[in-house]
Amino acid sequence: MAKNLTEEKIKYLLFLYDRKTHPLSVTAAAKACGVAKSTFSRTLGAFFEMGYVAEPGKTMLSPDGEKTARALRQEVDQMKEWLQSEIFLQGDLLEAEARRTVCALSTDTRKKLYSRHRLSIFFASLKSVTEIPGDRLCFQLPDGEYEFAFSIYKSGKEEAQLSMADQGFFHPGLLRIQEGKGEVFLKIREVEQDSRVRGMRMRGQVDSLSCLIHGVSRPCGRREDAFVFPIQPLDFFYREEERILQASVEMEFTCSVGPVHMPKSRARMIMIFK
């Protein structure tokens, strides 16, 4: 959400955006918003200083103003959807409450709220379905970001033992879905360890990561300080009684600790959405 925008300014900016194809005069816009012309003129002056209107004293949005308003409209509409699912509100009251809530919550909190809401709707549609291919998940979940819990275990161990790679990434992980495609982002984290041999503090990180999909090793790309891989080839399993969506992927990785480069190791990552 744009900085320095109060709930009142968001209201006026969205008013201009919703009427962008038929701009009103300042007098007509003030009357439609139920405020004095002087009040609306001051707001337009602030919008001009922020680069949101094309000309001083006019109600036509600039390209930057239209872009900002479009993002705000999406935010407010998402909040309206969530509020409708939790509280029975309608019309102008719903719109106003959505604007207030968008202003009150941080960006991270809103993202988590929308993610959980979309997952809740998706889980409700699954019912008795237990296995979901990754490509179907991408098409059925709305575009957005979804955080997930994960643990990375050593491969070939009878008892579950966490791999050192589990410490090499920030938790939780992030799934981004856009236009029917999904990508997992594991943000790389530097790890510190005490060297038993040299008696000193050593630093290291995961240097390379590959996913084993149907027996084929697929190198993970790096983007935004994270390893990235697609979820389409994965199989997900839904546990209805716990409302948990889970997937497992075998990995190969290499790490460095100080000047020492470790040999390639295998691990198994369990991803959990709830």
Side-chain angles (χ1 to χ4, degrees):
M1 187 181 70
K3 295 181 179 179
N4 303 320
L5 281 179
T6 63
E7 188 272 329
E8 184 179 37
K9 283 188 172 65
I10 290 176
K11 173 184 176 181
Y12 296 147
L13 190 60
L14 291 180
F15 173 84
L16 297 179
Y17 177 73
D18 292 340
R19 292 159 181 79
K20 63 182 183 295
T21 55
H22 297 88
L24 301 175
S25 67
V26 177
T27 301
K31 183 177 180 180
C33 290
V35 297
K37 181 180 178 181
S38 58
T39 299
F40 203 85
S41 293
R42 283 196 299 272
T43 301
L44 287 176
F47 284 166
F48 181 71
E49 291 181 1
M50 300 168 78
Y52 291 161
V53 293
E55 300 178 55
K58 301 295 183 179
T59 63
M60 174 70 75
L61 291 175
S62 67
D64 190 43
E66 189 168 334
K67 178 181 177 182
T68 301
R70 186 185 305 112
L72 283 170
R73 170 48 64 200
Q74 183 179 16
E75 278 275 359
V76 171
D77 286 347
Q78 287 184 98
M79 188 59 70
K80 285 167 64 176
E81 182 181 338
W82 179 76
L83 285 171
Q84 280 184 312
S85 72
E86 301 294 327
I87 308 170
F88 186 72
L89 294 175
Q90 291 183 333
D92 293 341
L93 182 59
L94 175 62
E95 175 82 11
E97 198 62 36
R99 291 195 303 265
R100 293 190 194 101
T101 309
V102 165
C103 285
L105 299 180
S106 69
T107 300
D108 286 345
T109 299
R110 294 198 308 273
K111 284 183 177 180
K112 290 178 181 178
L113 185 151
Y114 302 147
S115 172
R116 288 183 177 274
H117 178 59
R118 290 190 294 259
L119 280 172
S120 178
I121 294 174
F122 177 65
F123 288 165
S125 71
L126 295 178
K127 297 182 180 179
S128 61
V129 175
T130 56
E131 185 174 347
I132 306 161
D135 54 357
R136 176 186 166 190
L137 187 70
C138 292
F139 281 106
Q140 288 197 235
L141 275 178
D143 287 0
E145 296 185 348
Y146 301 84
E147 290 185 345
F148 62 90
F150 69 89
S151 296
I152 302 178
Y153 297 98
K154 294 180 179 178
S155 289
K157 301 293 183 180
E158 292 184 5
E159 295 183 4
Q161 298 180 28
L162 285 177
S163 164
M164 64 182 297
D166 188 73
Q167 302 177 45
F169 302 103
F170 286 96
H171 294 243
L174 182 69
L175 168 63
R176 287 181 182 168
I177 292 184
Q178 186 173 11
E179 297 180 353
K181 296 181 179 179
E183 292 182 313
V184 167
F185 285 73
L186 296 178
K187 189 174 181 180
I188 302 166
R189 175 175 176 265
E190 188 176 62
V191 179
E192 292 189 357
Q193 286 187 340
D194 290 323
S195 172
R196 296 179 182 178
V197 177
R198 301 185 181 186
M200 60 187 293
R201 197 74 170 165
M202 306 290 285
R203 294 181 177 180
Q205 65 178 31
V206 177
D207 292 322
S208 69
L209 186 70
S210 298
C211 292
L212 298 170
I213 308 295
H214 304 303
V216 178
S217 180
R218 302 188 182 189
C220 300
R222 290 185 66 159
R223 202 185 321 153
E224 300 176 21
D225 295 325
F227 283 109
V228 183
F229 62 89
I231 68 163
Q232 281 88 330
L234 304 183
D235 291 320
F236 289 78
F237 297 88
Y238 179 58
R239 287 151 45 187
E240 184 179 7
E241 64 280 2
E242 300 173 70
R243 292 180 66 84
I244 286 177
L245 189 67
Q246 180 176 311
S248 173
V249 58
E250 291 290 325
M251 295 177 159
E252 289 183 335
F253 65 94
T254 59
C255 297
S256 62
V257 181
V260 180
H261 294 273
M262 309 296 287
K264 185 177 291 186
S265 301
R266 281 200 177 190
R268 179 171 55 93
M269 183 175 74
I270 304 297
M271 306 162 57
I272 295 177
F273 296 84
K274 59 181 180 180

